[in-house]
């Protein structure tokens, strides 16, 4: 999801962006074709703190529809906070910007774009990069400078990834119980039906659900209500299986949203040391899996963590602590396999078009012998690069690693993303999971629960790629 304003956590903010006339800083509501925001796309958000590693950060001036404003010539100021990194180069068009005497890097964009090269120092830690222009929304990202250290294997056992025969056309609809609690009814072409059944009618064969440790906690995802807790998950799992669909369970290992910008430790685990945290991860995973199995709804696939390229269960399992992170993954994986040996394991990273960082993370896990079956990627073009970047990354990962590769989250460019995901080489194509299509971003249902024209894309995708 690191490299961006993190998608799920900022839905409300994004609605504010769209509908407010101005904000406290006087920024405009914006209109198509007019500069509105400084968008930044970092091609690495994890870097080696060796004083040599570099990352390209692409800078675009976009309008309120997310399109590059090619007529824009705004002056952009770049700010780096933290001791782990520094700007070494800025280029706008064919012009290389000289290193500033006053230490403040600036560039006037060319056709709405420019590029920045960031280099690490030898200090590890968080680096914040910001790109600012007068009257426009600021673009920012967090980058982690790390010392990889000497890898220690989590197991000596050899592991051959399980091969998933299914072609997956999936949807994350974890919001469904909450939407239904508000009285929303779902319908397709005038016929009211269960949303899960409507999705199945249009070619979907897999449902993804997120689960939090204690979302009802005061600082949790759903204070006092507990949506996306174990009981809600069990009820949804019954509906999924009753519809004849398969089920991906996404452990966040947090009471609230987890993504590359935040992996908050569950309140119940605060103060635990490494050994206790490993046990807590194992025991929570085991409890959830066992209760799902006991009611006949064992997940077909499990994510051990959500968008984990910067780690999970911070600070202990942060990416700066690769051996600890690998042990945490292994604790969760072991618990899944104890209950359901045939369940597929996914590691989900938020790096759709970021090949160098994808390889850094996956190499680190391979060196530590973390056993898993599927590489899952998030792809939101604003933060994860172009379609070409996505295609090239998925192809490279499929050739480089033994696991299959899928898009675990996306929303825009529906045809294009599916065409890429279903054509991954080396027989490694698996499919996609659209993120919250019932009501969020480029959703396939209107806010009153009526399906719209976008849902019909999926029947065609299912037909084209023989999704059963």
């Amino acid at each position: 999801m690191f490299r961006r304003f993190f998608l799920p956590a900022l839905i409300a903010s994004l609605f504010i962006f769209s509908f407010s006339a101005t904000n406290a800083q006087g920024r405009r509501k914006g209109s198509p074709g007019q500069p509105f925001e400084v968008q930044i796309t970092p091609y690495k958000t994890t870097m080696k703190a060796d004083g040599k590693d570099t990352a390209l950060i692409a800078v675009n001036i976009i309008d309120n529809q997310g399109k590059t404003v090619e007529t824009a010539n705004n002056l952009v100021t770049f700010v780096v906070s933290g001791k782990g990194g520094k700007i070494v180069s800025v280029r706008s068009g064919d012009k290389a910007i000289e290193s500033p005497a006053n230490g403040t890097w600036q560039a006037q964009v060319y056709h709405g774009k420019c590029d920045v090269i960031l280099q690490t120092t030898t200090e590890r830690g968080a680096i914040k990069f910001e790109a600012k222009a007068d009257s426009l929304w600021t673009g920012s990202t967090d980058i982690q400078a790390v010392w990889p250290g000497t890898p220690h294997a989590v197991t000596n056992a050899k592991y051959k990834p399980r091969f998933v025969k299914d072609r997956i056309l999936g949807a994350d609809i974890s919001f469904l119980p909450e939407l239904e609690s508000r009285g929303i009814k779902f319908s397709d072409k005038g016929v009211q039906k269960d949303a899960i059944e409507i999705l199945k009618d249009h070619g979907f064969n897999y449902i993804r659900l997120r689960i939090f440790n204690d979302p009802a906690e005061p600082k949790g995802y759903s204070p006092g209500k507990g949506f996306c807790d174990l009981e809600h998950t069990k009820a949804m799992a019954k509906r999924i299986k009753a519809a004849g669909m398969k089920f991906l369970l996404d452990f966040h290992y947090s009471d609230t949203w987890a993504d590359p910008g935040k992996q908050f430790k569950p309140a119940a685990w605060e103060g635990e040391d490494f050994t206790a945290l490993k046990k807590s991860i194992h025991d929570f995973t085991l409890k959830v899996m066992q209760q799902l199995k006991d009611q006949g709804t064992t997940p077909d696939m499990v994510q051990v963590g959500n968008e984990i390229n910067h780690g999970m269960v911070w600070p202990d399992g942060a990416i700066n602590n690769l051996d600890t992170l690998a042990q945490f993954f292994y604790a969760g994986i072991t618990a899944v396999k104890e209950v359901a040996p045939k369940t597929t394991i996914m590691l989900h990273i938020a790096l759709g078009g970021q090949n160098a960082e994808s390889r850094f993370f996956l190499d680190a896990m391979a060196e530590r012998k973390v056993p898993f079956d599927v590489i899952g990627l998030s792809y939101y073009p604003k933060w994860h690069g172009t379609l070409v970047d996505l295609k090239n990354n998925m192809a490279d990962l499929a050739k480089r690693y033994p696991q299959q590769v899928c898009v675990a989250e996306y929303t825009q460019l529906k045809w294009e993303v599916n065409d890429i995901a279903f054509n991954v080489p080396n027989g490694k194509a698996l499919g996609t999971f659209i993120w919250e299509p019932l009501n969020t971003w480029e959703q396939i249902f209107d806010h009153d629960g009526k399906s719209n024209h976008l849902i019909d894309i999926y029947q065609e995708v299912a037909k084209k790629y023989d999704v059963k």
Side-chain angles (χ1 to χ4, degrees), residues 287-399:
K287 173 186 173 182
V288 171
M289 291 295 297
Q290 189 63 58
Q291 290 196 27
L292 288 167
K293 181 179 180 179
D294 288 347
Q295 68 170 16
T297 60
T298 303
D300 301 277
M301 188 181 299
V302 168
Q303 284 180 224
V304 180
N306 186 75
E307 292 190 328
I308 51 178
N309 45 289
H310 280 177
M312 69 178 194
V313 191
W314 288 355
D316 308 74
I319 193 67
N320 251 318
N321 305 316
L322 280 164
D323 280 351
T324 296
L325 178 59
Q327 288 283 352
F328 286 176
F329 291 153
Y330 191 58
I333 292 166
T334 301
V336 172
K337 294 298 186 180
E338 285 174 14
V339 176
K342 295 182 179 180
T343 289
T344 303
I345 301 293
M346 178 195 293
L347 291 188
H348 172 209
I349 54 180
L351 303 170
Q354 294 147 308
N355 181 248
E357 185 171 353
S358 297
R359 288 167 52 186
F360 172 85
F361 179 89
L362 294 167
D363 285 348
M365 295 305 108
E367 290 169 342
R368 290 162 177 81
K369 296 188 177 180
V370 175
F372 70 103
D373 310 299
V374 172
I375 299 166
L377 301 168
S378 293
Y379 179 68
Y380 302 105
K382 179 174 180 178
W383 303 293
H384 299 138
T386 66
L387 287 166
V388 172
D389 294 328
L390 174 67
K391 181 178 180 179
N392 290 343
N393 189 31
M394 294 188 79
D396 181 70
L397 300 183
K399 294 173 183 176

